[in-house]
Amino acid sequence: MKSLFFGLTFGLLTIFGLSACSTADEETVDDGMLHGITLQLGPSGVRQTKSYGGDPNANEHEFIHSLHVFIVDYSTGKVEWVAHETFTGDTDAADGNLIQKAYSDLTLAAGTKTIYAFANMDNVYFYGDNTTTIDDQLDAITTSSNASALSDLSQKIVNDPAGSIDLTSSTKSFIPMCIFETVNLTNNSQTLTVEMERLVCRVDFTIRNRRSEGTNTNEITITSLTMQPLYSTVGLFAQTPNTTDARSATKTVVNPNSEVSEAVTLATGKSHLFSFYVNATEVSGNTPFTFYITLKDESKTYTGTTTATTLPRNSILPVAANFSDYEMSLDVTAQVSPIGGYPVSVYTGSDLTNYTLNLPEGCTFTIAPTMTKDDTEVTMATDGWQLSLNDTSVKWLTLSTATATTGGSLIGQVTAQTGLSAGLKLASKTAENRTADYSITINTVSLSDFSIPTSAARKQLNAWSATPEVFELLSLTKQQ
């Protein structure tokens, strides 16, 4: 059994919102108009830091290339202010790297407004219309237009926005994004910040070759990689219900017989990141996503299924698959006294490199690892299993048995306090001196809240602007 990780944080978090603030002593002017209004637009995380565009998860070309902005006045039902931007001559915008756009010193009527913002719609079409781009339709909306020209868009479905993205050719097409928000303008010099949502989810899929580590004789070649089932359409806004899609689309990432990507060969110990975009798949239900992988000279297909069942717009799904001829199984039990004298099963799993264990406060826990190769248990060295703290200053977690051999167990204890977290390293060495390290994160939880997890997998979708977290862990199974 092989394993995938995923953290697609795919969870999958929305990063765009709208906020308004005002200076303390400003008052509405007598003519009913407000002056000095500032409007700032861009994706979330637009601070300039060491990460790209201030976003720890963002890559190049994932920002603004073109822009449409509309301010609709609620009382008149008219479009009050418009901006259509192609940013000619702006080198950042030309590469989809414009972090933000600000409009200063605007004069607008006081009252309730709806702000619409759209970016990178020049290669995107509405469902059922493959002749006029959304960009062209937005160009036709002016300050003489009724509000319905924009409000009607809230019911529109976008056809395959992920398929419109092309960041590699000389004529690039960038990630479509949009938002609409309602605000109240009450003061002069008010500042409005609008952060648009990308209509897609990015999948960061890392494949690692861990077969017979320590040698160079077991390279693998990935000849195909696909993901399904996905939406082929997306509602223009997060509030738009998508009732036209049967969720049957497939994303092909590697296929030597097409223009998608050529086969990728990995030597032992090497890895490769496949980063690609899929349509936001925001749907209720319990259907997960399945990855299919084939390797050169192997007739059977490997499959892995996520625990996540939705991919919210503007989320990132980090996944990792390990190909190894060795499999490590980990059985963990916890015992709490005096409340319960019987051990409770905490986790049973196999072929993972990163574990997250939620243990009840004050428990004694036992870790029983097993190594197999080709479904046969491997004899370990005398010190075949060694468990150690990553941070030796941690005092609330103690290890009473830190080494074990074949069939042995490792024992530890956590203090009676919740909310604690520490990292452990589990080092393995077979009798043939094959070594591999595994990471274990221990979290303490309240006895009243403790439940037996069904998997060590941690379902996690990251937002584009969120701090990167752990992967979701999945198992790869070879189809018979």
Side-chain angles (χ1 to χ4, degrees):
M1 182 167 293
K2 318 302 175 197
S3 67
L4 288 179
F5 311 21
F6 175 127
L8 147 169
T9 359
F10 281 256
L12 211 204
L13 296 169
T14 301
I15 43 182
F16 303 86
L18 180 113
S19 62
C21 59
S22 61
T23 56
D25 300 322
E26 297 289 353
E27 296 181 358
T28 304
V29 295
D30 293 338
D31 61 1
M33 302 300 289
L34 301 178
H35 304 274
I37 305 299
T38 298
L39 177 62
Q40 297 181 155
L41 301 109
S44 181
V46 295
R47 302 174 307 279
Q48 293 288 353
T49 67
K50 292 182 180 179
S51 55
Y52 197 91
D55 188 333
N57 293 330
N59 295 330
E60 284 189 280
H61 315 305
E62 292 185 342
F63 293 88
I64 298 172
H65 170 68
S66 61
L67 184 66
H68 299 271
V69 189
F70 307 91
I71 299 179
V72 174
D73 183 69
Y74 180 81
S75 63
T76 64
K78 295 286 187 179
V79 177
E80 183 179 4
W81 185 88
V82 169
H84 301 291
E85 303 282 5
T86 57
F87 301 109
T88 301
D90 188 313
T91 55
D92 285 337
D95 286 332
N97 291 329
L98 182 63
I99 306 302
Q100 63 178 345
K101 173 64 179 177
Y103 300 95
S104 301
D105 203 24
L106 302 181
T107 297
L108 300 167
T112 301
K113 315 289 180 181
T114 301
I115 301 177
Y116 295 84
F118 307 84
N120 310 337
M121 293 291 179
D122 42 301
N123 193 40
V124 192
Y125 296 83
F126 285 127
Y127 178 75
D129 180 359
N130 59 1
T131 59
T132 307
T133 66
I134 298 177
D135 188 74
D136 288 338
Q137 296 187 42
L138 294 171
D139 269 332
I141 301 175
T142 68
T143 51
S144 62
S145 301
N146 292 323
S148 59
L150 288 160
S151 61
D152 288 348
L153 296 179
S154 63
Q155 303 303 315
K156 294 281 190 177
I157 305 296
V158 181
N159 186 54
D160 194 15
S164 73
I165 301 169
D166 179 4
L167 304 182
T168 59
S169 69
S170 57
T171 56
K172 296 181 177 65
S173 299
F174 301 95
I175 299 174
M177 56 185 87
C178 63
I179 196 75
F180 78 90
E181 292 286 348
T182 300
V183 298
N184 289 316
L185 287 183
T186 57
N187 299 93
N188 291 321
S189 304
Q190 197 164 331
T191 298
L192 307 174
T193 300
V194 179
E195 297 184 331
M196 295 172 289
E197 295 177 325
R198 299 170 178 97
L199 273 64
V200 299
C201 173
R202 193 180 83 210
V203 179
D204 289 342
F205 193 178
T206 301
I207 293 183
R208 298 182 178 92
N209 180 11
R210 303 183 66 240
R211 289 186 171 178
S212 296
E213 292 169 296
T215 73
N216 294 313
T217 59
N218 285 276
E219 71 178 18
I220 62 172
T221 298
I222 299 101
T223 56
S224 71
L225 168 60
T226 61
M227 177 183 179
Q228 66 180 45
L230 298 160
Y231 269 1
S232 58
T233 59
V234 177
L236 180 61
F237 300 114
Q239 300 91 335
T240 307
N242 189 352
T243 59
T244 65
D245 206 304
R247 193 182 165 187
S248 58
T250 297
K251 177 70 175 183
T252 300
V253 184
V254 180
N255 185 348
N257 298 318
S258 73
E259 297 179 358
V260 180
S261 177
E262 296 182 353
V264 175
T265 299
L266 299 175
T268 296
K270 300 298 182 180
S271 63
H272 182 83
L273 172 65
F274 298 95
S275 188
F276 55 95
Y277 304 96
V278 297
N279 294 318
T281 303
E282 300 157 314
V283 59
S284 59
N286 56 6
T287 302
F289 303 93
T290 300
F291 294 89
Y292 299 86
I293 306 171
T294 61
L295 303 182
K296 183 181 179 181
D297 299 327
E298 294 192 22
S299 60
K300 296 179 180 179
T301 301
Y302 294 86
T303 64
T305 301
T306 67
T307 58
T309 58
T310 63
L311 296 178
R313 63 189 62 207
N314 217 84
S315 61
I316 297 174
L317 176 62
V319 188
N322 290 324
F323 284 92
S324 175
D325 43 10
Y326 286 85
E327 298 180 1
M328 195 275 284
S329 297
L330 188 66
D331 294 339
V332 183
T333 57
Q335 183 171 344
V336 181
S337 296
I339 297 174
Y342 293 100
V344 178
S345 177
V346 176
Y347 172 71
T348 299
S350 64
D351 194 35
L352 309 175
T353 57
N354 290 277
Y355 295 80
T356 298
L357 302 178
N358 293 322
L359 299 177
E361 57 180 320
C363 77
T364 298
F365 62 92
T366 300
I367 299 176
T370 303
M371 184 75 70
T372 60
K373 181 179 181 182
D374 299 327
D375 298 324
T376 301
E377 186 170 353
V378 174
T379 301
M380 306 301 291
T382 303
D383 54 350
W385 300 105
Q386 299 188 52
L387 190 64
S388 60
L389 276 161
N390 293 338
D391 183 357
T392 56
S393 66
V394 172
K395 302 302 181 185
W396 57 267
L397 192 160
T398 57
L399 302 173
S400 55
T401 302
T403 62
T405 184
T406 303
S409 296
L410 307 156
I411 300 173
Q413 185 173 14
V414 297
T415 191
Q417 183 178 347
T418 63
L420 302 176
S421 182
L424 303 177
K425 182 179 80 171
L426 177 61
S428 68
K429 182 169 66 176
T430 69
E432 292 80 20
N433 288 323
R434 185 261 187 186
T435 61
D437 293 339
Y438 303 87
S439 297
I440 301 174
T441 299
I442 301 290
N443 300 315
T444 61
V445 299
S446 170
L447 281 172
S448 60
D449 297 334
F450 181 74
S451 61
I452 301 172
T454 58
S455 170
R458 181 177 177 184
K459 177 182 176 183
Q460 181 67 55
L461 283 170
N462 298 329
W464 245 281
S465 63
T467 301
E469 296 193 28
V470 297
F471 297 102
E472 179 184 350
L473 302 178
L474 302 135
S475 295
L476 279 180
T477 303
K478 185 184 289 187
Q479 292 182 327
Q480 298 300 316

